[in-house]
Amino acid sequence: SVFSGKKAFTDASKATLGLNNQVKTLAKSYLGLFTIQRLGYASVNAAKAFAADDKAARVLTQSLDNLGLAFADPSVKNFIADLEKQFGVLDDQLRPAFQRLLTTTGDVAKSQSLLRTALDLSAASGQDVVTVAGDLSKGYVGQTRALAKYGIGLTQAQLKAMSFEEVQTRINSLFGGQATIAADTYSGALQRLAVASNNAKEVIGGGLLDALAAL
């Protein structure tokens, strides 16, 4: 724009102030829109997290029921929740790992014991607990080849000659306590914070879904 005449500076000043106010208003509008979009995305993600967690919990409950172990459902939920808090491993991993062991052994106590072994072996090897639980499940039914990769100091011939209880005892003697040590590191502390954050997100997601259902 071009300003001329006696009032040029006054007009220019007023126009500049007006433009500045319009830009500020526009910026606030975009910021508000951006914030609403971010909140919208966060809400959707929270709802998805809750839905996925709810589905996984129901699947495990049904598995217990199918095996005639419905009575153990509350204690299993508490067991997994305690492991999640203690070791900073999400129940998103603990549930499928436990379910894999449960469908193989058909025994809650044995599955709990094996899941603890899986957590130690996972911490020592760097493999996720679901993979380790799968390998332990294979070993339980005699497919011991998958366990040799963890460096437990046994040949294939030795693995085949031993009972699975002996193999588990060997693994526990080598790697017992590794999950506890890992949980006490700075990395473990961050994992526990991540677990708390994820659980909070699931709670918020559950509240959002309940609110939408009510509407």
Side-chain angles (χ1 to χ4, degrees):
S1 299
V2 177
F3 294 92
S4 61
K6 295 179 180 180
K7 299 171 61 178
F9 286 105
T10 301
D11 292 341
S13 178
K14 290 180 179 179
T16 303
L17 287 172
L19 179 62
N20 187 47
N21 290 333
Q22 290 182 29
V23 170
K24 286 182 178 179
T25 301
L26 184 62
K28 289 179 181 178
S29 298
Y30 274 112
L31 180 60
L33 178 61
F34 178 71
T35 302
I36 291 171
Q37 287 177 333
R38 289 294 298 271
L39 286 172
Y41 293 144
S43 298
V44 170
N45 289 335
K48 286 182 177 178
F50 170 78
D53 187 70
D54 181 63
K55 180 181 178 181
R58 291 175 184 270
V59 168
L60 179 54
T61 296
Q62 186 61 48
S63 294
L64 287 164
D65 188 47
N66 291 342
L67 291 168
L69 300 170
F71 65 90
D73 188 43
S75 63
V76 168
K77 287 178 179 176
N78 290 334
F79 173 73
I80 290 177
D82 289 342
L83 290 182
E84 183 183 54
K85 291 176 184 177
Q86 182 179 357
F87 299 114
V89 179
L90 286 169
D91 56 11
D92 296 9
Q93 294 187 44
L94 292 172
R95 283 200 196 97
F98 183 82
Q99 183 166 345
R100 180 69 184 273
L101 294 167
L102 181 68
T103 53
T104 300
T105 65
D107 185 281
V108 172
K110 185 62 178 178
S111 298
Q112 290 175 335
S113 172
L114 284 172
L115 185 55
R116 289 187 176 278
T117 298
L119 284 166
D120 283 329
L121 195 52
S122 172
S125 66
Q127 293 281 346
D128 65 87
V129 69
V130 179
T131 299
V132 176
D135 290 337
L136 287 173
S137 295
K138 292 176 182 177
Y140 187 84
V141 294
Q143 301 175 23
T144 55
R145 183 178 298 275
L147 296 176
K149 67 183 179 184
Y150 293 104
I152 58 178
L154 297 172
T155 65
Q156 283 294 330
Q158 288 173 318
L159 282 168
K160 290 180 179 179
M162 296 169 67
S163 69
F164 181 77
E165 285 69 22
E166 291 174 326
V167 174
Q168 184 183 0
T169 299
R170 169 75 176 179
I171 293 173
N172 289 338
S173 67
L174 292 173
F175 304 110
Q178 290 291 342
T180 300
I181 292 173
D184 288 337
T185 63
Y186 286 113
S187 177
L190 289 174
Q191 286 294 330
R192 289 196 298 277
L193 284 174
V195 166
S197 175
N198 189 75
N199 287 338
K201 183 168 68 173
E202 290 171 356
V203 171
I204 292 170
L208 288 170
L209 288 176
D210 287 342
L212 288 173
L215 289 172

PDB file of all heavy atoms in Angstrom, residues 82-105:
ATOM      1  N   ASP A  82       0.377 -57.122  38.312  1.00  0.00           N
ATOM      2  CA  ASP A  82       1.543 -57.028  39.199  1.00  0.00           C
ATOM      3  C   ASP A  82       2.849 -57.115  38.407  1.00  0.00           C
ATOM      4  O   ASP A  82       3.801 -56.362  38.689  1.00  0.00           O
ATOM      5  CB  ASP A  82       1.502 -58.139  40.248  1.00  0.00           C
ATOM      6  CG  ASP A  82       0.407 -57.922  41.282  1.00  0.00           C
ATOM      7  OD1 ASP A  82      -0.084 -56.784  41.396  1.00  0.00           O
ATOM      8  OD2 ASP A  82       0.028 -58.900  41.960  1.00  0.00           O
ATOM      9  N   LEU A  83       2.899 -58.011  37.434  1.00  0.00           N
ATOM     10  CA  LEU A  83       4.096 -58.130  36.605  1.00  0.00           C
ATOM     11  C   LEU A  83       4.334 -56.849  35.808  1.00  0.00           C
ATOM     12  O   LEU A  83       5.471 -56.407  35.645  1.00  0.00           O
ATOM     13  CB  LEU A  83       3.967 -59.315  35.642  1.00  0.00           C
ATOM     14  CG  LEU A  83       4.006 -60.725  36.239  1.00  0.00           C
ATOM     15  CD1 LEU A  83       3.904 -61.760  35.125  1.00  0.00           C
ATOM     16  CD2 LEU A  83       5.269 -60.951  37.056  1.00  0.00           C
ATOM     17  N   GLU A  84       3.254 -56.269  35.306  1.00  0.00           N
ATOM     18  CA  GLU A  84       3.364 -55.033  34.512  1.00  0.00           C
ATOM     19  C   GLU A  84       3.985 -53.916  35.351  1.00  0.00           C
ATOM     20  O   GLU A  84       4.884 -53.205  34.899  1.00  0.00           O
ATOM     21  CB  GLU A  84       1.982 -54.624  34.016  1.00  0.00           C
ATOM     22  CG  GLU A  84       1.999 -53.395  33.108  1.00  0.00           C
ATOM     23  CD  GLU A  84       0.609 -52.972  32.698  1.00  0.00           C
ATOM     24  OE1 GLU A  84      -0.233 -52.777  33.608  1.00  0.00           O
ATOM     25  OE2 GLU A  84       0.350 -52.816  31.498  1.00  0.00           O
ATOM     26  N   LYS A  85       3.502 -53.763  36.584  1.00  0.00           N
ATOM     27  CA  LYS A  85       4.019 -52.720  37.462  1.00  0.00           C
ATOM     28  C   LYS A  85       5.458 -53.007  37.885  1.00  0.00           C
ATOM     29  O   LYS A  85       6.291 -52.107  37.963  1.00  0.00           O
ATOM     30  CB  LYS A  85       3.138 -52.614  38.713  1.00  0.00           C
ATOM     31  CG  LYS A  85       1.746 -52.072  38.447  1.00  0.00           C
ATOM     32  CD  LYS A  85       0.911 -52.085  39.723  1.00  0.00           C
ATOM     33  CE  LYS A  85      -0.514 -51.637  39.460  1.00  0.00           C
ATOM     34  NZ  LYS A  85      -1.355 -51.710  40.698  1.00  0.00           N
ATOM     35  N   GLN A  86       5.744 -54.265  38.178  1.00  0.00           N
ATOM     36  CA  GLN A  86       7.064 -54.625  38.700  1.00  0.00           C
ATOM     37  C   GLN A  86       8.162 -54.522  37.662  1.00  0.00           C
ATOM     38  O   GLN A  86       9.256 -54.011  37.950  1.00  0.00           O
ATOM     39  CB  GLN A  86       7.020 -56.052  39.262  1.00  0.00           C
ATOM     40  CG  GLN A  86       8.344 -56.502  39.889  1.00  0.00           C
ATOM     41  CD  GLN A  86       8.256 -57.905  40.453  1.00  0.00           C
ATOM     42  OE1 GLN A  86       7.190 -58.539  40.440  1.00  0.00           O
ATOM     43  NE2 GLN A  86       9.363 -58.412  40.954  1.00  0.00           N
ATOM     44  N   PHE A  87       7.868 -54.981  36.436  1.00  0.00           N
ATOM     45  CA  PHE A  87       8.926 -55.079  35.431  1.00  0.00           C
ATOM     46  C   PHE A  87       8.801 -54.070  34.293  1.00  0.00           C
ATOM     47  O   PHE A  87       9.681 -54.005  33.433  1.00  0.00           O
ATOM     48  CB  PHE A  87       8.960 -56.496  34.854  1.00  0.00           C
ATOM     49  CG  PHE A  87       9.249 -57.559  35.876  1.00  0.00           C
ATOM     50  CD1 PHE A  87       8.302 -58.505  36.214  1.00  0.00           C
ATOM     51  CD2 PHE A  87      10.468 -57.586  36.535  1.00  0.00           C
ATOM     52  CE1 PHE A  87       8.562 -59.479  37.167  1.00  0.00           C
ATOM     53  CE2 PHE A  87      10.748 -58.555  37.491  1.00  0.00           C
ATOM     54  CZ  PHE A  87       9.786 -59.502  37.812  1.00  0.00           C
ATOM     55  N   GLY A  88       7.725 -53.293  34.264  1.00  0.00           N
ATOM     56  CA  GLY A  88       7.585 -52.291  33.216  1.00  0.00           C
ATOM     57  C   GLY A  88       7.361 -52.885  31.848  1.00  0.00           C
ATOM     58  O   GLY A  88       7.771 -52.307  30.831  1.00  0.00           O
ATOM     59  N   VAL A  89       6.712 -54.039  31.813  1.00  0.00           N
ATOM     60  CA  VAL A  89       6.365 -54.683  30.539  1.00  0.00           C
ATOM     61  C   VAL A  89       4.854 -54.553  30.354  1.00  0.00           C
ATOM     62  O   VAL A  89       4.086 -54.938  31.237  1.00  0.00           O
ATOM     63  CB  VAL A  89       6.764 -56.176  30.527  1.00  0.00           C
ATOM     64  CG1 VAL A  89       6.360 -56.825  29.201  1.00  0.00           C
ATOM     65  CG2 VAL A  89       8.262 -56.318  30.749  1.00  0.00           C
ATOM     66  N   LEU A  90       4.449 -54.003  29.236  1.00  0.00           N
ATOM     67  CA  LEU A  90       3.031 -53.743  29.003  1.00  0.00           C
ATOM     68  C   LEU A  90       2.209 -55.029  29.017  1.00  0.00           C
ATOM     69  O   LEU A  90       2.667 -56.073  28.528  1.00  0.00           O
ATOM     70  CB  LEU A  90       2.833 -53.037  27.662  1.00  0.00           C
ATOM     71  CG  LEU A  90       3.240 -51.568  27.608  1.00  0.00           C
ATOM     72  CD1 LEU A  90       3.234 -51.081  26.163  1.00  0.00           C
ATOM     73  CD2 LEU A  90       2.284 -50.722  28.448  1.00  0.00           C
ATOM     74  N   ASP A  91       1.000 -54.920  29.547  1.00  0.00           N
ATOM     75  CA  ASP A  91       0.114 -56.088  29.514  1.00  0.00           C
ATOM     76  C   ASP A  91      -0.278 -56.453  28.091  1.00  0.00           C
ATOM     77  O   ASP A  91      -0.757 -57.549  27.829  1.00  0.00           O
ATOM     78  CB  ASP A  91      -1.131 -55.861  30.376  1.00  0.00           C
ATOM     79  CG  ASP A  91      -1.912 -54.602  29.990  1.00  0.00           C
ATOM     80  OD1 ASP A  91      -1.630 -54.004  28.937  1.00  0.00           O
ATOM     81  OD2 ASP A  91      -2.815 -54.210  30.770  1.00  0.00           O
ATOM     82  N   ASP A  92      -0.037 -55.517  27.137  1.00  0.00           N
ATOM     83  CA  ASP A  92      -0.250 -55.831  25.722  1.00  0.00           C
ATOM     84  C   ASP A  92       0.643 -56.988  25.279  1.00  0.00           C
ATOM     85  O   ASP A  92       0.313 -57.714  24.341  1.00  0.00           O
ATOM     86  CB  ASP A  92       0.071 -54.608  24.849  1.00  0.00           C
ATOM     87  CG  ASP A  92      -0.862 -53.445  25.128  1.00  0.00           C
ATOM     88  OD1 ASP A  92      -1.635 -53.522  26.101  1.00  0.00           O
ATOM     89  OD2 ASP A  92      -0.835 -52.461  24.388  1.00  0.00           O
ATOM     90  N   GLN A  93       1.791 -57.148  25.956  1.00  0.00           N
ATOM     91  CA  GLN A  93       2.692 -58.266  25.675  1.00  0.00           C
ATOM     92  C   GLN A  93       2.482 -59.415  26.653  1.00  0.00           C
ATOM     93  O   GLN A  93       2.579 -60.587  26.274  1.00  0.00           O
ATOM     94  CB  GLN A  93       4.148 -57.796  25.744  1.00  0.00           C
ATOM     95  CG  GLN A  93       4.537 -56.797  24.674  1.00  0.00           C
ATOM     96  CD  GLN A  93       6.022 -56.504  24.704  1.00  0.00           C
ATOM     97  OE1 GLN A  93       6.850 -57.412  24.836  1.00  0.00           O
ATOM     98  NE2 GLN A  93       6.370 -55.245  24.587  1.00  0.00           N
ATOM     99  N   LEU A  94       2.228 -59.065  27.902  1.00  0.00           N
ATOM    100  CA  LEU A  94       2.101 -60.106  28.931  1.00  0.00           C
ATOM    101  C   LEU A  94       0.898 -61.012  28.683  1.00  0.00           C
ATOM    102  O   LEU A  94       0.980 -62.231  28.879  1.00  0.00           O
ATOM    103  CB  LEU A  94       1.978 -59.466  30.316  1.00  0.00           C
ATOM    104  CG  LEU A  94       3.228 -58.743  30.819  1.00  0.00           C
ATOM    105  CD1 LEU A  94       2.930 -57.989  32.105  1.00  0.00           C
ATOM    106  CD2 LEU A  94       4.371 -59.729  31.037  1.00  0.00           C
ATOM    107  N   ARG A  95      -0.214 -60.427  28.250  1.00  0.00           N
ATOM    108  CA  ARG A  95      -1.409 -61.245  28.025  1.00  0.00           C
ATOM    109  C   ARG A  95      -1.213 -62.277  26.919  1.00  0.00           C
ATOM    110  O   ARG A  95      -1.481 -63.459  27.135  1.00  0.00           O
ATOM    111  CB  ARG A  95      -2.610 -60.350  27.712  1.00  0.00           C
ATOM    112  CG  ARG A  95      -3.209 -59.677  28.931  1.00  0.00           C
ATOM    113  CD  ARG A  95      -4.633 -59.224  28.645  1.00  0.00           C
ATOM    114  NE  ARG A  95      -5.090 -58.272  29.636  1.00  0.00           N
ATOM    115  CZ  ARG A  95      -5.060 -56.957  29.480  1.00  0.00           C
ATOM    116  NH1 ARG A  95      -4.602 -56.443  28.359  1.00  0.00           N
ATOM    117  NH2 ARG A  95      -5.494 -56.146  30.426  1.00  0.00           N
ATOM    118  N   PRO A  96      -0.779 -61.860  25.715  1.00  0.00           N
ATOM    119  CA  PRO A  96      -0.585 -62.885  24.674  1.00  0.00           C
ATOM    120  C   PRO A  96       0.490 -63.901  25.028  1.00  0.00           C
ATOM    121  O   PRO A  96       0.399 -65.067  24.640  1.00  0.00           O
ATOM    122  CB  PRO A  96      -0.210 -62.075  23.431  1.00  0.00           C
ATOM    123  CG  PRO A  96       0.201 -60.743  23.916  1.00  0.00           C
ATOM    124  CD  PRO A  96      -0.556 -60.506  25.184  1.00  0.00           C
ATOM    125  N   ALA A  97       1.514 -63.451  25.762  1.00  0.00           N
ATOM    126  CA  ALA A  97       2.562 -64.387  26.186  1.00  0.00           C
ATOM    127  C   ALA A  97       1.977 -65.426  27.136  1.00  0.00           C
ATOM    128  O   ALA A  97       2.223 -66.639  26.994  1.00  0.00           O
ATOM    129  CB  ALA A  97       3.699 -63.628  26.862  1.00  0.00           C
ATOM    130  N   PHE A  98       1.196 -64.958  28.110  1.00  0.00           N
ATOM    131  CA  PHE A  98       0.580 -65.874  29.060  1.00  0.00           C
ATOM    132  C   PHE A  98      -0.419 -66.793  28.366  1.00  0.00           C
ATOM    133  O   PHE A  98      -0.483 -67.995  28.665  1.00  0.00           O
ATOM    134  CB  PHE A  98      -0.129 -65.079  30.169  1.00  0.00           C
ATOM    135  CG  PHE A  98      -0.738 -65.938  31.235  1.00  0.00           C
ATOM    136  CD1 PHE A  98       0.038 -66.440  32.265  1.00  0.00           C
ATOM    137  CD2 PHE A  98      -2.088 -66.271  31.204  1.00  0.00           C
ATOM    138  CE1 PHE A  98      -0.511 -67.253  33.248  1.00  0.00           C
ATOM    139  CE2 PHE A  98      -2.653 -67.078  32.184  1.00  0.00           C
ATOM    140  CZ  PHE A  98      -1.859 -67.570  33.209  1.00  0.00           C
ATOM    141  N   GLN A  99      -1.181 -66.237  27.434  1.00  0.00           N
ATOM    142  CA  GLN A  99      -2.175 -67.051  26.739  1.00  0.00           C
ATOM    143  C   GLN A  99      -1.514 -68.166  25.936  1.00  0.00           C
ATOM    144  O   GLN A  99      -2.012 -69.292  25.894  1.00  0.00           O
ATOM    145  CB  GLN A  99      -3.019 -66.166  25.821  1.00  0.00           C
ATOM    146  CG  GLN A  99      -4.133 -66.936  25.119  1.00  0.00           C
ATOM    147  CD  GLN A  99      -5.153 -65.996  24.499  1.00  0.00           C
ATOM    148  OE1 GLN A  99      -5.201 -64.821  24.805  1.00  0.00           O
ATOM    149  NE2 GLN A  99      -5.970 -66.525  23.610  1.00  0.00           N
ATOM    150  N   ARG A 100      -0.387 -67.843  25.305  1.00  0.00           N
ATOM    151  CA  ARG A 100       0.335 -68.865  24.535  1.00  0.00           C
ATOM    152  C   ARG A 100       0.774 -69.998  25.448  1.00  0.00           C
ATOM    153  O   ARG A 100       0.640 -71.192  25.107  1.00  0.00           O
ATOM    154  CB  ARG A 100       1.555 -68.217  23.859  1.00  0.00           C
ATOM    155  CG  ARG A 100       2.394 -69.179  23.028  1.00  0.00           C
ATOM    156  CD  ARG A 100       1.664 -69.639  21.801  1.00  0.00           C
ATOM    157  NE  ARG A 100       2.421 -70.612  21.059  1.00  0.00           N
ATOM    158  CZ  ARG A 100       3.331 -70.304  20.120  1.00  0.00           C
ATOM    159  NH1 ARG A 100       3.576 -69.036  19.823  1.00  0.00           N
ATOM    160  NH2 ARG A 100       3.969 -71.250  19.473  1.00  0.00           N
ATOM    161  N   LEU A 101       1.287 -69.637  26.621  1.00  0.00           N
ATOM    162  CA  LEU A 101       1.727 -70.656  27.576  1.00  0.00           C
ATOM    163  C   LEU A 101       0.543 -71.436  28.140  1.00  0.00           C
ATOM    164  O   LEU A 101       0.609 -72.655  28.315  1.00  0.00           O
ATOM    165  CB  LEU A 101       2.490 -69.979  28.718  1.00  0.00           C
ATOM    166  CG  LEU A 101       3.819 -69.319  28.325  1.00  0.00           C
ATOM    167  CD1 LEU A 101       4.320 -68.410  29.439  1.00  0.00           C
ATOM    168  CD2 LEU A 101       4.869 -70.378  27.988  1.00  0.00           C
ATOM    169  N   LEU A 102      -0.552 -70.735  28.387  1.00  0.00           N
ATOM    170  CA  LEU A 102      -1.730 -71.375  28.964  1.00  0.00           C
ATOM    171  C   LEU A 102      -2.345 -72.396  28.019  1.00  0.00           C
ATOM    172  O   LEU A 102      -2.707 -73.508  28.428  1.00  0.00           O
ATOM    173  CB  LEU A 102      -2.772 -70.315  29.331  1.00  0.00           C
ATOM    174  CG  LEU A 102      -4.063 -70.821  29.977  1.00  0.00           C
ATOM    175  CD1 LEU A 102      -3.765 -71.384  31.369  1.00  0.00           C
ATOM    176  CD2 LEU A 102      -5.085 -69.696  30.068  1.00  0.00           C
ATOM    177  N   THR A 103      -2.459 -72.033  26.745  1.00  0.00           N
ATOM    178  CA  THR A 103      -3.063 -72.959  25.780  1.00  0.00           C
ATOM    179  C   THR A 103      -2.162 -74.171  25.544  1.00  0.00           C
ATOM    180  O   THR A 103      -2.643 -75.229  25.137  1.00  0.00           O
ATOM    181  CB  THR A 103      -3.332 -72.252  24.440  1.00  0.00           C
ATOM    182  OG1 THR A 103      -2.127 -71.624  23.972  1.00  0.00           O
ATOM    183  CG2 THR A 103      -4.410 -71.191  24.584  1.00  0.00           C
ATOM    184  N   THR A 104      -0.874 -74.011  25.820  1.00  0.00           N
ATOM    185  CA  THR A 104       0.053 -75.141  25.662  1.00  0.00           C
ATOM    186  C   THR A 104       0.039 -76.047  26.886  1.00  0.00           C
ATOM    187  O   THR A 104      -0.018 -77.278  26.764  1.00  0.00           O
ATOM    188  CB  THR A 104       1.486 -74.630  25.427  1.00  0.00           C
ATOM    189  OG1 THR A 104       1.513 -73.825  24.250  1.00  0.00           O
ATOM    190  CG2 THR A 104       2.451 -75.804  25.253  1.00  0.00           C
ATOM    191  N   THR A 105       0.082 -75.454  28.074  1.00  0.00           N
ATOM    192  CA  THR A 105       0.183 -76.257  29.298  1.00  0.00           C
ATOM    193  C   THR A 105      -1.181 -76.634  29.873  1.00  0.00           C
ATOM    194  O   THR A 105      -1.309 -77.675  30.520  1.00  0.00           O
ATOM    195  CB  THR A 105       0.952 -75.487  30.379  1.00  0.00           C
ATOM    196  OG1 THR A 105       0.197 -74.323  30.771  1.00  0.00           O
ATOM    197  CG2 THR A 105       2.316 -75.036  29.861  1.00  0.00           C
TER     198      THR A 105
END
